[in-house]
Amino acid sequence: MTTYTNEFNRSIEQPEAFWAEQARRIPWFTTPKTVLSYDDQQHARWFVDGELNICHAALDHHVDQGRGEQPAVLWDSPVTESKRTVTYREMRDQVALFAGALRALGVEKGDRVVIYMPMVPEALMAMYACARLGAVHSVVFGGFAPHELAVRIDDAQPKVVVAASCGIEIDRVISYKPIIDAAIGQSQHKPDACVILQREQQQAELGDNDHDWAELMAKAEPAECVPVKGSDPLYVLYTSGTTGKPKGVVRDTGGYAVALHYSMEAIYDVAPGEVFFSASDVGWVVGHSYIVYAPLLRGCTTVVYEGKPVKTPDAGAFWRLISEYGVKSFFTAPTAFRAIKKEDPDGKLLAQYDISCLKALFLAGERLDPPTFHWLDDLLDVPVIDHWWQTETGWPIAANLHGLDPMPTKAGSATVPVPGFDVQVLDREGEQAKPMEQGSVVIKQPMPPGCLVGVWGDPQRFHSAYMAAFPGFYLTGDGGYFDEDGYLFIMGRTDDVINIAGHRLSTGEMEEVVGAHKAVAECAVIGIHDSLKGQVPVGLVIPKDGFEGDELALENELIALVREKIGPIACFKQVLVVNRLPKTRSGKILRKLLRNIADGKEYGVPSTIDDPASLQDVHDAMKDRSVGAAHEARQV
Ligand code: COA
Ligand code: AMP
């Protein structure tokens, strides 16, 4: 039996013993006695009666163990031409002070704090400061528009919002304060105060309820770590679901800390003192887990990069960072490498850097498409590892366990289930699919530590979104299959969620925005293949009877509306006005068929279609407007 099989079987057959052992590897104030229990939806809960503080485990503990002078954070910001090193001791002290500042604004254990910040060390400090107080942070990605921020403020009901004065994109400085003011203007819930980190690239004008970060810090008293229960929430992170309202994924504290610590060893193979670089953003789950919490829980150094894979200044940026900081393990999304490959197809820029420190490259956020895998595999001398996970699980569900038992790689596969995750593929009837047979990918309860404990304020939604489809299993929302060797292939979502440049967005939400326009009678938004971003959305719109306006103007208005309501990150840049949409006789738009046409595939006319001519109409419209590969699609 291989080391992997042995460890995996133990994790499934004796989950309590397995995770109790892992729990002993992180510092608790009170060791948990109850390792595994279940909530009333039969969903696993871990370490409910243990007491800890993740800020203590990630910062104070390491300072106490003699890591005070080791860099905790290496900040590299080509967009501001700045670099900064923050040691563990500095990090702990800054976090303690900012926690004191938040407390002075009334933030206590259990209160929520919304954080809207770019990739600066203070974003991590704000997150850890909340954790230190036992407050619950909710970080919102900077690419989301005021409306999206408002929806999250209303749902999380924060006492305080922490933000920076601006974020910086390749070609522009983005003022955050007007976005925050607009969001608070729109939200029903009004936070008591905003804390603004003033950046020299653009200072914000502060209002009555606004506080300057630096001024607060100057007068703050440091706060100690507040003990919280293993099951107490650490954060709420909103993610796209199938409806317009994002889901607030709630993460606990104890299970998350244990799972992340385990993953740093078993999956990423990094030891205390080594450098880990995850090129994501603190606004996404990858950022939460592998920029902010996991590296520091493990006593590593984390690289915080405020830049892009290309154009800041060139496609050699990642190689430079790896070489300059001695990165051992590097993690990003495949789309970043597709962008690099486009600018530097032969990887020539790599020759300028010594990246012998790098021992493995990890990719996630979307499927690692075989061409990108082969490009990287040919270019680099280290394992290129695709691994699959989602906001809800908080850490990888399937991976090649580089630190435990590396296996041969298969292009297009995320390799095998990670210990703790009893992954199964079910057919429509809920029966286990045979090898090579595609179905719904589910996880049998108990899910391991680290996974979501609920949807914020909405147990019913948790049940309907994840637990109802197959009782006893968590529904991942992904489709896929196991091959004959037990390798898992994740092939894409089975719902309305699409993946744009490694970012998860909901076409349902875009449809709500488009459908709300006064001239729109009906619409469909579909995700189509894009060679750089994986997928991009395309809108198909039927105007209301009697619409006599300019169709092009309407299309542009709709593009602007999605950008205004959801944000630039939705990449909603193509809309087509059509006369009719293909539907079933019961009125369901045939979205999969539309996607197949846009992706240039062969398609048949389903027997359930109401009006077969509508299909040809839409196909012609897509061809005329050069949507995706519609010109290659053929009706068979
Ligand atoms: N604040 C404000 N706007 C933002 C933003 C932020 N934090 N992040 C992105 N945007 C904007 C961009 O400026 C762009 O606006 P535009 O339409 O005016 O050009 C839009 O949102 C889309 O951004 P993006 O998807 O980043 O596209 P891009 O063309 O600028 O860059 C890539 C393409 C591939 C380089 C980029 O998507 C990338 O780095 N992807 C990696 C993804 C990743 O790390 N995912 C995390 C999951 S692991
Ligand atoms: P997010 O919650 O934003 O991390 O997005 C999670 C979704 O991204 C998953 O449900 C998958 O659809 C997709 N995804 C992430 N990583 C992978 C991967 N390695 N292979 C295939 N799909 C992935």
Side-chain angles (χ1 to χ4, degrees), residues 218-289:
K219 56 183 187 206
E221 291 291 327
E224 286 308 311
C225 291
V226 174
V228 303
K229 294 274 184 230
S231 53
D232 279 342
L234 171 65
Y235 64 76
V236 180
L237 177 58
Y238 289 86
T239 189
S240 298
T242 47
T243 68
K245 191 168 179 255
K247 286 185 284 214
V249 165
V250 183
R251 189 88 56 214
D252 67 357
T253 307
Y256 189 50
V258 171
L260 291 185
H261 187 271
Y262 173 70
S263 70
M264 290 304 273
E265 220 173 352
I267 300 174
Y268 300 104
D269 191 31
V270 277
E274 293 179 334
V275 183
F276 190 82
F277 174 23
S278 172
S280 178
D281 187 286
V282 290
W284 304 112
V285 67
V286 176
H288 280 63
S289 294

Side-chain angles (χ1 to χ4, degrees), residues 116-118 141-144 167-172 174 176 278-281 284 286-287 307-310 318 331-339 364-366 500-503 532-533 563 567-571 573:
Y116 189 76
M117 294 183 96
F141 177 64
F144 281 121
I168 296 146
E169 280 296 286
I170 295 175
D171 49 356
R172 61 194 193 277
I174 298 164
Y176 278 10
S278 172
S280 178
D281 187 286
W284 304 112
V286 176
K308 298 266 177 178
V310 292
F318 284 166
F331 179 168
T332 192
T335 187
F337 276 113
R338 288 198 296 271
E366 56 174 325
I500 307 167
H503 307 136
L532 175 64
K533 299 195 176 187
R563 194 176 170 96
I569 204 69
C571 295
K573 298 197 169 165

